[in-house]
């Protein structure tokens, strides 16, 4: 069971000339997963906004993703650093792993501020979820 | 000769499952034309920013647009109202008209403000360009 | 009650520099509504694929659409012509109408074919739904 | 001097709610660079199409990228394997490195075929360009 999961309904215009979901769309879907995961930790879209800067991403395109059935975007693990989180994620469609990735998110102390320690409530929420 | 023209290089990921530029991309290209046209009237991206709200758009898909050759986005005429502009535009590729459209842009007096008269310098710039 | 409705969850990257859903995204969402509506008439994504060419679209941006709550894309009426359908649609968010539009879809007799009469089963399905 | 370079004009709708180019757009721009680089090796869009499958991508977001000035997408190095290429690339804007990335492309022997050795003409073209 994934620790966090959100569902994407692929859109017809996200397919490419070869009939499957464009490679350029997959990073955007992982971002949706990241954003919703961070909101879930912080209490939803209405909560006080924390600023996370995406420092890097990595994606393996394991298999083709298609239009016509839902895709599960999962956060499978999180490594907590001093000022950053490393998220590990997967895309699944029809019981098949189609992409795997990771990203590094740096916690910023507001606009114009520099790196700041990952807040304790976030550390605790992650520890509880990935125990 | 069009009164205003900008060039778009189609991107592979803008094609759809049928191999031509997705219908969902064409409105975005017309917006690029609109934005650059308004910047040209006002003195480029660095100029004082005027707020134009897009009230409506209309597009006729005349022919398919393809990946592999440049597209010219043109503003062919402008009708100036009291607080709005109606822009008429066209897309051309390889000497062929592929789309035709219009849009209504309302001039707003800054964020939170309401409709405001089209400024005189904009009226004059348009009159000079479409004389 | 709308005759056909599908739900879109706005994505963070669909917001623009001003913090609301980009004007360029709204036509894409209407296309999602159109596509799913046509699939519902024809029996879902797995059904025999009918080719509908989008001949034109028209959109009124009635109010801003935001990130953070679901959007209902509705087909509110359909006018059936000889070889085309005119669809009328609306976007609603948090009980508020944010966009209204229409589109003309032409029925094509397969790739390379020309316009073809709207099939009887489609006429009947529409008549039943919008009675 | 980069071995291969193409220029992107950022589009207003590619900015995000914070006013700079969305993280989700950068992978798409790198794909544009990859696609044009491969076309340059093979003789342009009109040449016989070789099938390259993107197996993985990696991106470091070094600095923010903005709307309003052109971006140079560069392929700075290529490592040639048996059936794959590893491309190294960079984005530059106003004399500043804003992103750095790499991707692994696998050569496929047509649709439905499996991995195939990198063709000799491609090896030679790369060797000449990155000598």
């Amino acid at each position: 069971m994934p620790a966090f999961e959100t569902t994407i309904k692929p859109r017809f215009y996200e397919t490419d000339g070869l009939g499957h979901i464009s490679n350029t769309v997959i990073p955007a879907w992982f971002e949706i997963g990241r954003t919703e995961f961070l909101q879930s930790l912080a209490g939803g879209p209405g909560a006080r906004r924390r600023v996370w800067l995406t420092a890097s991403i990595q994606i393996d395109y394991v298999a083709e993703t298609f239009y016509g059935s839902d895709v599960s975007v999962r956060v499978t693990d999180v490594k907590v650093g001093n000022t950053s989180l490393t998220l590990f994620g997967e895309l699944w469609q029809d019981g098949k792993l189609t992409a795997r990735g990771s990203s590094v998110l740096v916690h910023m102390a507001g606009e114009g501020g520099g790196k700041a320690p990952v807040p304790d409530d976030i550390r605790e929420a992650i520890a509880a979820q990935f125990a």
Side-chain angles (χ1 to χ4, degrees), chain A residues 43-55:
Chain A
R48 186 164 66 85
R49 193 190 182 89
R50 292 255 169 58
V51 179
W52 296 93
L53 185 149
T54 304

Side-chain angles (χ1 to χ4, degrees), chain A residues 22-34 57 59 61 91:
Chain A
S22 169
N23 288 329
T24 63
V25 170
I26 305 296
W29 288 2
F30 272 118
E31 190 194 79
I32 295 170
R34 276 201 301 281
I57 61 165
I59 294 172
Y61 296 95
L91 296 193

